[in-house]
């Protein structure tokens, strides 16, 4: 499978879940690739940094960094260099996830550096206002995720549909080329369908897949929701 991103996109953030690190992260990526091959739906994975090389070796699935820093080569001990992620084979990066939140000016600097490294940028925002503030920086995608719904199983697309449609409207008012994703509490195909009908072009999902009894069945359910 070529490492390209297409929409509607299922982007799975593995965070630091024990169910999705090391060998299990590779297995999850292989499962995602299998479902991609069966359905044609693009499934990308954002694993822990250390798990990126084995996933890229084992699969052709698009891989995202969970975070990069807006630094260059040189005296930046402990930072994550965008070019290093690109060279490792990542196609993109999350920026300012609500569990790794950045100030607005750092978001802009990180988008700029990620662009230089040719990484697709998915910026996470918690409100419509934040989405409107980030849109002028022209990232590839903005993911709206109300933090209070993360990991709850209560989907943003149903609990707060106005935040999804409002984000789509406001972001596109600034720049219609930016893809809007949504996340938080997505656990089933119906949640994904609801997100798409609100104008989102993909989902950012974690626990619903990582903690599923059968990640294969869960990936399949989400991928098939696009056809619904
Ligand atoms: O990055 C995805 C995310 O924060 C949503 O988490 O567990 O609610 O799908 P979850």
């Amino acid at each position: 499978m070529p490492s390209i991103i297409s929409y509607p996109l299922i982007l799975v953030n593995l965070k630091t879940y024990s169910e999705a690190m090391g060998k299990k992260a590779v297995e999850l990526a292989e499962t995602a690739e299998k479902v991609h091959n069966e359905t044609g739906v693009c499934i990308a994975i954002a694993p822990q940094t250390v798990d990126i090389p084995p996933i890229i070796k084992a699969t052709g699935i698009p891989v995202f960094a969970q975070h990069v820093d807006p630094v260059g080569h040189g005296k930046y001990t402990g930072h994550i260099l965008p070019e290093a992620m690109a060279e490792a084979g990542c196609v993109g990066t999350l920026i300012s996830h609500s569990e790794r939140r950045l100030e607005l000016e750092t978001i802009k600097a990180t988008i700029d550096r990620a662009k230089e490294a040719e990484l697709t940028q998915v910026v996470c925002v918690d409100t419509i206002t934040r989405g409107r503030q980030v849109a002028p920086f022209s990232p590839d995608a903005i993911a709206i995720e109300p933090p209070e719904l993360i990991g709850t199983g209560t989907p943003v697309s149903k609990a707060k549909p106005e935040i999804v449609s409002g984000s789509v409207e406001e972001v596109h008012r600034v720049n219609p080329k930016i893809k809007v994703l949504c996340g938080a509490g997505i656990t089933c195909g119906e949640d994904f369908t609801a997100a798409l009908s609100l104008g989102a072009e993909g989902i950012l999902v974690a626990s619903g897949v990582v903690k599923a009894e059968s990640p294969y069945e869960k990936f399949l359910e989400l991928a098939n929701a696009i056809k619904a």
Side-chain angles (χ1 to χ4, degrees), residues 13 15 97 145 149-151 184-185 204-207:
N13 180 3
K15 303 194 176 183
H97 188 278
E145 291 201 322
L149 296 177
I150 290 176
L204 185 52
V205 58
S207 52

Side-chain angles (χ1 to χ4, degrees), residues 25-220:
V26 176
E27 278 164 25
L28 205 67
E30 286 170 342
T31 305
E33 183 170 48
K34 181 169 154 66
V35 173
H36 164 78
N37 290 338
E38 289 170 8
T39 63
V41 174
C42 187
I43 305 175
I45 297 262
Q48 290 185 56
T49 307
V50 72
D51 291 328
I52 288 170
I55 289 176
I56 284 170
K57 194 170 171 207
T59 74
I61 198 167
V63 175
F64 277 64
Q66 291 184 5
H67 170 81
V68 292
D69 293 298
V71 299
H73 292 282
K75 297 187 285 181
Y76 297 102
T77 304
H79 291 74
I80 300 180
L81 182 70
E83 282 79 3
M85 295 293 103
E87 198 167 312
C90 285
V91 299
T93 184
L94 299 180
I95 295 173
S96 196
H97 188 278
S98 71
E99 293 148 13
R100 192 67 173 83
R101 198 168 290 171
L102 305 175
E103 298 297 330
L104 203 55
E105 63 182 37
T106 311
I107 293 176
K108 182 181 184 321
T110 308
I111 292 171
D112 291 346
R113 285 293 292 110
K115 284 182 181 176
E116 283 168 10
E118 297 184 356
L119 293 171
T120 296
Q121 323 94 50
V122 176
V123 182
C124 302
V125 298
D126 55 348
T127 60
I128 296 175
T129 305
R130 199 55 160 181
R132 196 189 304 123
Q133 291 169 335
V134 166
F137 307 152
S138 298
D140 293 301
I142 290 178
I144 175 78
E145 291 201 322
E148 67 279 10
L149 296 177
I150 290 176
T152 61
T154 301
V156 57
S157 48
K158 286 194 184 155
K160 298 202 167 173
E162 68 289 349
I163 288 200
V164 180
S165 52
S167 296
V168 172
E169 201 181 313
E170 288 298 315
V171 165
H172 285 172
R173 200 193 300 277
V174 178
N175 182 346
K177 288 190 184 148
I178 299 172
K179 307 283 183 190
V180 178
L181 314 180
C182 73
I186 306 258
T187 59
C188 65
E190 216 180 287
D191 303 341
F192 191 5
T193 312
L196 294 173
S197 69
L198 293 166
E201 292 184 71
I203 48 169
L204 185 52
V205 58
S207 52
V209 168
V210 167
K211 290 177 174 288
E213 207 169 299
S214 163
Y216 171 75
E217 295 296 336
K218 189 52 70 183
F219 276 131
L220 205 55

